[in-house]
Amino acid sequence: MSSAAAPGPILRENLWTNNPIFMQVLGICSALAVTNLLVNTVIMTIAVVAVMGMTNLTVAIMKSLIPRKVRMMVQTLIIASYVIVVDIILRAYVPDISRELGPYVGLIITNCIIMGRAEAFAQSNRPLISMWDGMTSGMGYMGVLLSIALIRELLGFGSLFGYQVMPAAFEPWIIMVMPPSAFFVLGIIIWIGKAIMEREGAPA
Amino acid sequence: MDKQSFAYTVIFTAVVTFAFVLLLAMANELTIEQIEFNQEVRLQRSVLQAMGVEFQDDEQAAELFERVEQIEVNGLGLYSYERDGEQLYAKEYAGSGVWGTIRGHLGITPDGTRTLGLTVLEHEETPGLGGRIDEGWFQEQFRNKRLVDGRLEMTSRDGTGDFDEDSGEIDGITGATGTSDAMARIINDHLQQLTQALGGAA
């Protein structure tokens, strides 16, 4: 990990140069599952941003108290608790979307980006900057997932956020509705991202 | 105290676990009423929709639902509602789809010759494919649909829906043959139960 511990560089690193999805290629299972409709993706990624921020904050506050032997277990416990809280809130206040997301909200627990950031950053940094790191990593995830969802919903349903934007004659691509298409779109996004980075001369 | 000692580790783990479980219990307690209320509203809307009773919003649905009675016809539990002197029935159905249970309500006329409507409350079908059973166009096909020999036939035409009330046919979902077949099986099973129970009375 780089030594950047100021808010600006962290933001840039997590959104772009070290984006969890297209540089580290973490958390792609959910990138496949929740990107067929933009609305679902927005709610899902907001949930991830919230869980990551809170997890990193909590881990950073508690880090000096946690015995090394049970460090991972405690991190998992923290992540799982926040995910369940988010799940309960979604079920109570946006029941329709909660039903659509089904098991995927619960599966945020297994998203490796969260534990990765808790281990790599929150374990060795102060609480507030850790929270910022968690949230920006979540936003990096959000950016990529929204791009995938934009392409998939547009081509798979001919709509954006549920509003029909393609002409009626447009034939929806069924492949875009199915999970494998996210792989193709993700691959193309990684390709574009890396190509731009190379042109900028940033160390990839 | 040594943070790496066995005793500290055990105590720390126990305390942290307790604290987070408490947090979850509180979150659950605070939202349980809202969640139950949501489920209740969904059930009411579903029953009314299955019977083709129209309403503007949740409040009106709750009001109309007060007039819905739960009755038993020849041992079959039904919802019943009287609209302009005409009796409407709905039954909860459930059966296995491709990935999990599909559950909802099916409305039927008292003589068992037409379905009034269909709703899907719960399903775990593939999003975008079988999952489209919860879309309006699919469910609208069941509106006042005449049964042919007490059954509805699932066809695979262009996947845009069959809105001919007398065809006795439902257009299945393109790319979701498994779910379409499962729906046909579930609905015809329940239609059989319904026509048997109602036929005894008619």
Side-chain angles (χ1 to χ4, degrees):
Chain A
M1 277 298 113
S2 77
S3 57
I10 289 177
L11 178 70
R12 187 180 155 73
E13 189 167 294
N14 286 336
L15 287 187
W16 182 238
T17 52
N18 201 20
N19 183 294
I21 301 261
F22 73 76
M23 288 306 291
Q24 301 173 29
V25 199
L26 288 179
I28 62 166
C29 347
S30 52
L32 308 185
V34 299
T35 52
N36 61 355
L37 287 172
L38 274 164
V39 178
N40 296 355
T41 315
V42 168
I43 297 288
M44 176 76 177
T45 52
I46 289 174
V48 171
V49 170
V51 169
M52 288 198 70
M54 290 308 290
T55 301
N56 266 12
L57 177 71
T58 313
V59 170
I61 291 172
M62 289 173 54
K63 63 176 183 286
S64 59
L65 295 172
I66 305 175
R68 233 202 318 280
K69 270 175 279 189
V70 293
R71 194 185 69 232
M72 292 280 214
M73 193 218 86
V74 172
Q75 286 169 358
T76 313
L77 178 73
I78 294 170
I79 297 168
S81 303
Y82 286 129
V83 170
I84 296 171
V85 168
V86 166
D87 193 26
I88 290 174
I89 293 173
L90 291 182
R91 245 188 299 163
Y93 301 106
V94 279
D96 292 328
I97 291 179
S98 165
R99 240 186 327 279
E100 292 248 321
L101 291 174
Y104 297 112
V105 173
L107 285 173
I108 295 175
I109 296 169
T110 61
N111 191 319
C112 16
I113 303 172
I114 304 178
M115 199 166 205
R117 292 321 288 175
E119 267 290 286
F121 198 96
Q123 274 293 338
S124 50
N125 282 284
R126 301 175 69 82
L128 281 181
I129 197 77
S130 298
M131 186 177 175
W132 174 247
D133 177 79
M135 290 175 70
T136 50
S137 288
M139 287 183 231
Y141 170 84
M142 179 188 256
V144 175
L145 258 68
L146 284 180
S147 322
I148 300 175
L150 187 90
I151 298 170
R152 287 184 66 189
E153 187 175 341
L154 188 66
L155 298 178
F157 293 93
S159 61
L160 291 176
F161 289 103
Y163 294 102
Q164 203 65 33
V165 290
M166 291 301 226
F170 173 75
E171 183 69 39
W173 304 11
I174 287 183
I175 178 77
M176 280 296 170
V177 172
M178 321 237 293
S181 72
F183 259 128
F184 299 128
V185 179
L186 177 61
I188 292 169
I189 288 179
I190 293 177
W191 180 13
I192 296 171
K194 294 250 183 186
I196 296 174
M197 247 174 241
E198 214 147 90
R199 200 159 299 167
E200 279 181 353
Chain B
M1 193 171 183
D2 178 12
K3 293 229 177 78
Q4 307 308 331
S5 75
F6 181 71
Y8 177 83
T9 305
V10 171
I11 294 169
F12 176 86
T13 314
V15 170
V16 168
T17 309
F18 179 78
F20 279 97
V21 170
L22 191 70
L23 173 80
L24 291 186
M26 275 163 52
N28 194 42
E29 197 56 42
L30 286 174
T31 54
I32 195 143
E33 272 181 30
Q34 183 68 36
I35 290 172
E36 275 171 6
F37 174 74
N38 291 346
Q39 283 167 346
E40 183 65 29
V41 169
R42 239 169 86 72
L43 176 89
Q44 294 177 351
R45 295 180 69 112
S46 172
V47 170
L48 292 173
Q49 270 170 17
M51 293 192 285
V53 179
E54 283 172 21
F55 52 87
Q56 301 294 324
D57 50 25
D58 290 354
E59 252 169 66
Q60 204 191 350
E63 220 168 90
L64 289 170
F65 195 79
E66 304 229 316
R67 288 167 48 203
V68 173
E69 285 173 65
Q70 282 186 287
I71 57 163
E72 208 168 286
V73 177
N74 295 329
L76 199 64
L78 295 175
Y79 292 96
S80 120
Y81 179 89
E82 196 185 321
R83 181 175 61 187
D84 309 331
E86 178 195 13
Q87 208 67 32
L88 309 174
Y89 291 129
K91 179 188 187 304
E92 182 179 305
Y93 70 84
S96 44
V98 174
W99 302 117
T101 304
I102 301 175
R103 214 163 62 80
H105 291 99
L106 179 64
I108 194 162
T109 55
D111 57 3
T113 54
R114 277 176 193 273
T115 59
L116 291 166
L118 172 108
T119 58
V120 175
L121 268 176
E122 226 173 69
H123 73 84
E124 291 166 40
E125 302 311 291
T126 320
L129 292 171
R132 295 179 64 203
I133 52 173
D134 60 16
E135 288 180 7
W137 70 270
F138 182 77
Q139 297 175 12
E140 275 307 309
Q141 299 184 76
F142 291 85
R143 199 64 75 201
N144 300 320
K145 188 73 92 176
R146 190 170 65 90
L147 305 183
V148 175
D149 302 329
R151 295 174 56 84
L152 289 176
E153 208 63 53
M154 191 68 71
T155 62
S156 46
R157 279 203 298 272
D158 52 2
T160 53
D162 181 331
F163 300 103
D164 176 1
E165 291 183 352
D166 293 318
S167 67
E169 291 180 351
I170 301 295
D171 197 5
I173 298 167
T174 311
T177 311
T179 301
S180 300
D181 288 350
M183 274 314 265
R185 194 189 64 241
I186 296 165
I187 287 161
N188 282 320
D189 279 355
H190 284 86
L191 280 175
Q192 200 186 354
Q193 290 176 24
L194 277 166
T195 44
Q196 269 173 7
L198 294 170

